[in-house]
Each structure stands twice: as structure tokens, then as C-alpha cells.
Amino acid sequence: AQGQLKVGEIYEDCFYNPCLCVEIDDDDIYGISLIDGSYPHSCSIIHCAVQKMTVQEAIERRTSLIK
């Protein structure tokens, strides 16, 4: 996943939050939650199995979580 994710892209963290990636440091990824704006959300790229998300997927996730 690390080769696929870049700063500025959206990913799903291990708590199923869509996050905007702001830093990648080796195996660690840091982001801002697109649900509530909290920061930092950090995960291990390998051990947490973070997933890249599209903008549409992030919108759908946010909509489903704030109902």
C-alpha cells in the first residue's frame, strides 16, 4: 500500500475513518480525519492495512457515519 499512497490522497485508517494523508514516514502514515477534522490519525501502512479511497468513497463513508 505504501507505494500506492501519497501525501494529498485519501485513505481509510484502521478505525474506518476517511483521512487526508499529510505525511508518510517509512511504514507510518499520518492524516486528518475527513469526518471530524481531528489530527493526527496515524497508522502503520503494513500492520493496519490502510486502504486508498476515492473522493466518492470518502463522501459515502462520511454520510453513513454522521447519520
Side-chain angles (χ1 to χ4, degrees), residues 34-59:
L34 297 178
I35 301 298
D36 63 8
S38 58
Y39 171 82
H41 280 251
S42 69
C43 288
S44 162
I45 294 171
I46 296 169
H47 300 291
C48 294
V50 298
Q51 297 292 316
K52 188 174 176 177
M53 298 181 83
T54 66
V55 171
Q56 186 60 39
E57 289 170 330
I59 290 168

Side-chain angles (χ1 to χ4, degrees), residues 3-63:
Q4 299 172 346
L5 288 164
K6 297 180 179 100
V7 171
E9 294 184 319
I10 300 169
Y11 69 95
E12 179 182 73
D13 73 2
C14 56
F15 293 103
Y16 307 107
N17 280 298
C19 295
L20 177 65
C21 177
V22 296
E23 180 181 354
I24 296 175
D25 182 20
D26 293 322
D27 177 48
D28 298 315
I29 188 168
Y30 302 91
I32 299 168
S33 170
L34 297 178
I35 301 298
D36 63 8
S38 58
Y39 171 82
H41 280 251
S42 69
C43 288
S44 162
I45 294 171
I46 296 169
H47 300 291
C48 294
V50 298
Q51 297 292 316
K52 188 174 176 177
M53 298 181 83
T54 66
V55 171
Q56 186 60 39
E57 289 170 330
I59 290 168
E60 290 170 4
R61 177 65 49 82
R62 184 177 192 285
T63 302

